[in-house]
Amino acid sequence: MATMYTETVTTVRHWTDRLFSFTATRNPGFRFISGQFTMIGLPINGRPLLRAYSVCSAHHEDHLEFFSIKVPNGPLTQHLQKIQVGDELLVGAKPTGTLIQQNLKPGKTLYLLSTGTGLAPFVSIAKDPETYDLYDHIVLAHGCREIAELGYGEEVVNTLYNDEFFGELAREKLLYYPTVTREPFRHNGRLTALFEAGRLEADLGLPALNKETDRVMLCGSPAMLSDLQTMLEARGFTEGSHHERGEYVIEKAFVEK
């Protein structure tokens, strides 16, 4: 347990019967880069039960925030979805992950493409002032099945737009694009289909996706990741890593599939 911090849950909010978010205290020794994930969990039957979760909070905030799906029989989430304020939370001391700026070549527009709880790492990135220094536009695209599942992301964006210190910059550069597949909404369709048709860029008043100027981060369902990765590579985008920068990066670590 030497590589774990024991934190205290400070807030819990259930957005739908499938989604919830929560915050916890943050040990001053816990350092991470916006977009990284770490192992978190609970002591179950005297042993730590852990899964990988992206950190939603900004690296400069004094608390930790996470966004989770509820899996009825999931080894961890069947317990985690019942947490309450004051409960203990185990947090791994060694965050990691590929969704970091250091893995991308410089560019003008950053596309953060997510489905479901894949939004989580991009919340941290959207809260990071450095992101706005690096790009002219940051597109936060979030695909869900139903409108209610967009609630967490909508609140995050509204909070950023109305922030006393950060709001003006966010309103100028952060472009939020929510889309759903099962209900009528201002944006409908899967992110892959919207990109293939050029609709996402057109709806935002941006030029067509271009590997010379655009950088892409992907996090979401396996099908979404596979489809968008195929599409990007067909357009000449190369995948970035800790060893070599590229035009896009993808996160392959998942919370309970």
Side-chain angles (χ1 to χ4, degrees), residues 192-204 206-209 235:
T192 310
L194 291 167
F195 253 119
E196 284 179 337
R199 268 186 54 201
L200 193 150
E201 307 101 296
D203 285 348
L204 294 172
L206 295 173
L209 198 66
R235 298 188 186 194

Side-chain angles (χ1 to χ4, degrees), residues 30-41:
F30 182 74
R31 296 283 185 267
F32 66 95
I33 300 169
S34 300
Q36 288 186 320
F37 66 88
T38 192
M39 304 300 289
I40 71 167

Side-chain angles (χ1 to χ4, degrees), residues 147-163:
I147 296 170
E149 296 173 341
L150 298 171
Y152 174 68
E154 288 178 333
E155 179 157 305
V156 166
V157 172
N158 286 332
T159 299
L160 284 171
Y161 283 162
N162 292 293
D163 184 86

Side-chain angles (χ1 to χ4, degrees), residues 23 34 55-61 63-65 112 120-132 138 140 152 156-157 159-160 166 174:
T23 60
S34 300
V55 183
C56 298
S57 38
H59 65 78
H60 57 266
E61 292 181 305
H63 66 273
L64 296 174
E65 183 172 356
L112 306 172
F122 301 149
V123 171
S124 180
I125 291 169
K127 290 179 177 180
D128 189 342
E130 183 184 358
T131 307
Y132 298 80
I138 297 96
L140 181 62
Y152 174 68
V156 166
V157 172
T159 299
L160 284 171
F166 200 57
L174 181 63

Side-chain angles (χ1 to χ4, degrees), residues 98-111:
T98 56
L99 300 178
I100 57 175
Q101 301 297 344
Q102 291 91 323
N103 292 344
L104 287 175
K105 296 176 182 176
K108 292 185 177 181
T109 299
L110 175 65
Y111 284 89

